[in-house]
Amino acid sequence: MKNKKLEVSAIENGTVIDHIPAKALFKVISILNLEKVDRQITFGTNLDSKKLGKKAIVKLSDTFFIDNEINKIALVAPQAKLNIIRDYIVIEKKVVEVPEEIMGIAKCMNPKCITNNEKIATRFRVVSRRDVKLKCHYCEKITDQEHLEII
Amino acid sequence: MKNKKLEVSAIENGTVIDHIPAKALFKVISILNLEKVDRQITFGTNLDSKKLGKKAIVKLSDTFFIDNEINKIALVAPQAKLNIIRDYIVIEKKVVEVPEEIMGIAKCMNPKCITNNEKIATRFRVVSRRDVKLKCHYCEKITDQEHLEII
């Protein structure tokens, strides 16, 4: 069953990521490396949301993530919800969870940190999950949500 | 009339950019600065296309472009077609045209060019439109399609 409308509005198999803050959409795309995915993807952004003001949604055909991978987006979209779709039916719902350790996604806010001066990947321990606070493995400085910059 | 399906599959007023090569979608987003647009946008990518193999489409609600602005995308999506929508109806169709001069979108491929060494915006004259060839205003070297890098 091929139908142009279906292609852009529903997926047969895959993952729907909903409740992304609109401002975080391109960060999510970058964290999940969606520029490189060759399956069908639809994005919608600046959609009205009671919870988030403006939200974005991403629908990925034939694409599934392992928890470790998807949890990275919790840094920028802590309220994101995943629907796993099979045969047009939601077979599983998931929430994202900020992982305990973050490797190489965020930038350390300390300009003197070795990761900002040499070719060393960043590494953080998550010291607060609710309002994300990351403690740098190298310089031990805290990078908070406000200063969070995705590499 | 609010309907969730409509929000992601059709627009009431705005611009639809079709026939973007899938590989060029994020370049088009960057050239048009769509990360900053606060109106509803839907993107679809890796859709089947007889002409392009895999294509992308962008639907922008309540957003219209002047020709100068939209022509910039001809650099990466020379076959792009625009539909201007009013009340769900296509009132105008446009094609994009590589402009005669390009300011600050592409990078000069000459590493010794002043634009690659000092804070000077690039500037090119388009010497071939079909297979894009850009002649740098400063160093006069040619940057061709193959080496074209969007800033």
Side-chain angles (χ1 to χ4, degrees), chain A residues 50-68:
Chain A
K50 275 179 196 162
K51 263 196 227 166
L52 299 169
K54 295 281 177 189
K55 73 165 185 176
I57 185 166
V58 178
K59 301 181 181 191
L60 297 128
S61 284
D62 303 314
T63 306
F64 303 91
F65 297 94
I66 54 168
D67 288 353
N68 258 356

Side-chain angles (χ1 to χ4, degrees), chain B:
Chain B
M1 190 177 67
K2 275 270 178 186
N3 170 315
K4 200 168 182 184
K5 201 153 186 182
L6 265 183
E7 281 191 345
V8 294
S9 59
I11 56 174
E12 190 174 341
N13 294 294
T15 305
V16 174
I17 312 173
D18 199 358
H19 297 290
I20 301 166
K23 281 185 187 166
L25 173 61
F26 289 97
K27 288 180 183 169
V28 167
I29 288 171
S30 153
I31 290 173
L32 295 177
N33 222 343
L34 300 185
E35 285 105 334
K36 300 281 156 62
V37 170
D38 62 358
R39 304 307 174 97
Q40 286 190 9
I41 316 179
T42 24
F43 310 91
T45 190
N46 296 316
L47 309 170
D48 291 325
S49 159
K50 276 180 196 160
K51 262 196 229 165
L52 300 168
K54 296 280 177 189
K55 72 166 185 175
I57 185 166
V58 177
K59 300 182 182 190
L60 297 128
S61 285
D62 304 313
T63 306
F64 303 91
F65 298 93
I66 54 168
D67 288 353
N68 258 354
E69 203 174 352
I70 204 75
N71 278 340
K72 295 175 183 174
I73 72 169
L75 278 188
V76 295
Q79 300 186 63
K81 282 181 184 57
L82 273 77
N83 288 328
I84 317 302
I85 317 278
R86 296 275 183 199
D87 288 327
Y88 298 107
I89 292 164
V90 177
I91 56 154
E92 198 184 342
K93 285 174 177 283
K94 287 185 187 182
V95 292
V96 295
E97 230 176 76
V98 179
E100 281 176 29
E101 211 180 26
I102 305 280
M103 312 282 280
I105 299 172
K107 196 170 166 343
C108 179
M109 68 169 282
N110 172 14
K112 291 187 179 165
C113 177
I114 190 164
T115 60
N116 287 318
N117 294 286
E118 291 185 31
K119 286 221 164 204
I120 291 175
T122 59
R123 182 174 162 189
F124 302 93
R125 197 160 55 80
V126 178
V127 289
S128 166
R129 280 185 165 165
R130 187 184 275 263
D131 52 328
V132 175
K133 282 187 185 148
L134 308 177
K135 186 171 183 177
C136 178
H137 174 77
Y138 298 101
C139 72
E140 301 200 322
K141 287 277 183 302
I142 302 285
T143 297
D144 59 13
Q145 188 108 53
E146 197 190 332
H147 295 91
L148 189 64
E149 204 179 309
I150 301 300
I151 296 170

